[in-house]
């Protein structure tokens, strides 16, 4: 069990590293490809677009395949996409490679979360999912800073070559340590799409879009906030990003056991705490020490939203959860794009660099309102199996 979770977390680590490392290497990428840095920034959007499209698409194409096979295929596509990024010789080729690398992102994490949950059993499902997601959080502490350093001194392609190597290790680890699980029972693609249309699943996805958008409204502009409001030098920004990743890791460690005990209250508490912390951050950001401390807490409560929402969506689509689980990562990437856009709107309107934090707080409150509404609507079903009844899908090995 621990080694299987380690294999899944290693894949998540590779995914988290490739998603965020390019943000620290945009000047090098722009110089090498001879494009403006704003144009190079579209490569971030290319990856996010691949995630949004790829999560439901690849999941739909793999509903009848055994889960271990699916994980290996998805990580293989991810490896090829990053290798294509390394060898691409033009901006258009790099753009296409980033889309390809993003396609299996949500599908891999969605299926991986299901596998982790089934191996752990009904009483430790959220804890197991949180442990797998540690790969994403640790990537922000280790993978992204290390990849940025490597890319700055050996060329930006070296960072993605390192991701290729990590992906290859993840493939070997999954092949060796993850047990063979049968293809999921149920109605195949038709059953998965029906489960995705369930009202509670849709409300869970909508909660993720608004709730997590509050995090990215601030995270997208953390660099100018730290340099212009907190008075830090640009060299201190990587430390702030590492502190955010540290908070994410701490939040992941704490939220899993909490969600196993009380899933809905954990979601409510995380969203409410996120709204409060974002408001507080609009004040503490003016001092480097208080800003740094608040960033750690923001990372913790922000990522505290992710795991319980992932488990809730899987529970509510219990007979065909694969599409819903993968689509949750599309929701998170929509939150990424939407939060960054709304934060930018606030700045563009002249509301100042603290406005993304206040906008993020509003988004978190909206997410909380959706989560509470979903809980109230779900109450009549509690007598017929419980509001947060566990998944019923078998996890027997082949």
């Amino acid at each position: 069990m621990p080694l299987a979770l380690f294999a899944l977390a290693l894949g998540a680590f590779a995914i988290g590293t490739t998603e965020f490392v390019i943000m620290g290497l945009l000047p090098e990428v722009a110089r090498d490809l001879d494009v403006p840095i704003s144009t190079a920034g579209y490569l971030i959007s290319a990856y996010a677009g691949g995630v949004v499209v790829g999560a439901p698409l690849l999941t739909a194409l793999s509903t009848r395949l055994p889960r271990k096979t699916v994980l290996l295929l998805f990580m293989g596509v991810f490896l090829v996409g990053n290798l294509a990024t390394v060898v691409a010789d033009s901006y258009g080729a790099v753009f296409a490679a980033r889309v390809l690398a993003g396609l299996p992102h949500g599908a891999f994490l969605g299926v991986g979360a299901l596998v982790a949950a089934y191996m752990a059993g009904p009483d430790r499902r959220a804890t197991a999912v949180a442990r797998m997601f540690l790969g994403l959080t640790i990537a922000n502490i280790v993978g992204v800073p290390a990849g940025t350093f490597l890319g700055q001194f050996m060329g930006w392609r070296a960072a993605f070559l390192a991701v290729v190597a990590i992906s290859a290790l993840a493939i070997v680890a999954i092949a060796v340590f993850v047990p063979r699980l049968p293809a999921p029972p149920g109605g195949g693609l038709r059953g998965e799409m029906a489960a995705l249309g369930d009202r509670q699943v849709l409300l869970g996805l909508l909660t993720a879009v608004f709730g997590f958008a509050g995090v990215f409204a601030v995270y997208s502009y953390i660099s100018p906030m730290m340099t212009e409001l907190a008075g830090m030098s640009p060299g201190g920004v990587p430390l702030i990003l590492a502190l955010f990743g540290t908070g994410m890791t701490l939040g992941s460690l704490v939220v899993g056991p909490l969600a196993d005990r009380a899933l809905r209250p954990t979601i409510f508490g995380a969203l409410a705490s996120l709204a409060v912390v974002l408001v507080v951050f609009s004040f503490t950001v003016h001092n480097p020490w208080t800003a740094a401390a608040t960033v750690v807490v923001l990372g913790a409560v922000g990522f505290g939203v992710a795991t319980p929402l992932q488990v809730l969506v899987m529970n509510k689509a219990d007979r065909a959860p694969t599409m819903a689980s993968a689509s949750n990562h599309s929701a998170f990437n929509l939150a990424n794009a939407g939060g960054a856009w709304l934060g930018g709107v606030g700045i563009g309107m002249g509301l100042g660099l603290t406005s993304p934090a206040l906008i993020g707080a509003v988004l978190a409150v909206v997410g909380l309102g959706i989560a509470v509404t979903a809980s109230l609507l779900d109450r009549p079903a509690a007598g017929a199996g419980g509001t947060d009844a566990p998944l019923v899908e078998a996890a027997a090995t082949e």
Side-chain angles (χ1 to χ4, degrees):
M1 170 68 177
L3 289 175
L5 277 179
F6 170 78
L8 296 174
L10 188 60
F13 178 86
I15 286 173
T17 300
T18 204
E19 180 178 18
F20 294 110
V21 73
I22 193 170
M23 297 177 185
L25 295 172
L26 281 183
E28 288 77 13
V29 174
R31 253 191 325 269
D32 182 60
L33 298 177
D34 194 25
V35 296
I37 195 166
S38 58
T39 303
Y42 294 147
L43 297 174
I44 300 172
S45 301
Y47 184 89
V51 178
V52 173
V53 173
L57 177 62
L58 293 186
T59 301
L61 295 174
S62 61
T63 54
R64 294 291 188 181
L65 297 176
R67 291 232 160 99
K68 181 172 181 176
T69 301
V70 168
L71 289 170
L72 292 170
L73 286 173
F74 290 166
M75 189 50 57
V77 174
F78 178 78
L79 185 153
V80 170
N82 281 280
L83 184 59
T85 302
V86 173
V87 301
D89 59 358
S90 67
Y91 175 80
V94 174
F95 190 97
R98 292 300 291 163
V99 173
L100 177 61
L103 287 175
H105 173 125
F108 177 88
L109 293 177
V111 174
L114 288 170
V115 170
Y118 295 147
M119 289 189 299
D123 296 331
R124 291 181 57 82
R125 181 175 298 117
T127 298
V129 173
R131 295 296 184 268
M132 180 194 136
F133 283 174
L134 278 176
L136 291 174
T137 65
I138 293 174
N140 283 274
I141 302 174
V142 179
V144 173
T148 300
F149 178 83
L150 183 65
Q152 288 173 342
F153 283 90
M154 298 184 64
W156 65 271
R157 297 172 194 272
F160 293 96
L161 187 59
V163 172
V164 171
I166 298 168
S167 305
L169 289 175
I171 289 173
V172 172
I174 292 169
V176 174
F177 297 122
V178 174
R180 293 192 63 82
L181 302 175
L189 179 57
R190 180 178 297 179
E192 293 284 348
M193 294 304 296
L196 188 60
D198 179 85
R199 182 175 64 183
Q200 286 297 315
V201 172
L202 291 175
L203 288 172
L205 296 175
L206 198 59
T207 303
V209 170
F210 281 94
F212 219 63
V215 178
F216 281 101
V218 168
Y219 188 75
S220 301
Y221 303 97
I222 197 72
S223 180
M225 283 182 168
M226 292 299 104
T227 55
E228 297 184 31
L229 298 181
M232 290 185 175
S233 68
V237 173
L239 175 61
I240 291 297
L241 297 178
L243 288 175
F244 184 83
T246 301
M248 291 172 65
T249 302
L250 294 174
S252 182
L253 290 171
V254 171
V255 77
L258 286 178
D260 279 326
R261 294 188 182 95
L263 184 57
R264 295 269 194 190
T266 300
I267 294 172
F268 300 156
L271 288 168
S273 299
L274 176 59
V276 171
V277 171
L278 285 168
V279 172
V280 170
F281 186 61
S282 69
F283 295 96
T284 61
V285 72
H286 297 282
N287 177 280
W289 297 104
T290 56
T294 311
V295 162
V296 176
V297 181
L298 177 60
V301 297
F303 201 76
V305 177
T307 296
L309 279 176
Q310 182 77 39
V311 175
L312 177 68
V313 167
M314 293 191 305
N315 285 354
K316 293 307 172 185
D318 59 353
R319 296 187 182 277
T322 311
M323 182 70 77
S325 181
S327 295
N328 204 39
H329 294 280
S330 291
F332 286 140
N333 274 268
L334 287 174
N336 186 340
W341 176 68
L342 289 171
V345 168
I347 296 172
M349 291 175 62
L351 300 179
L353 279 173
T354 58
S355 61
L358 299 176
I359 291 170
V362 173
L363 291 169
V365 170
V366 173
L368 176 60
I370 296 170
V372 171
T373 301
S375 179
L376 294 174
L377 292 174
D378 202 30
R379 281 185 176 178
T387 302
D388 302 310
L391 292 117
V392 299
E393 185 176 343
T397 57
E398 288 180 329

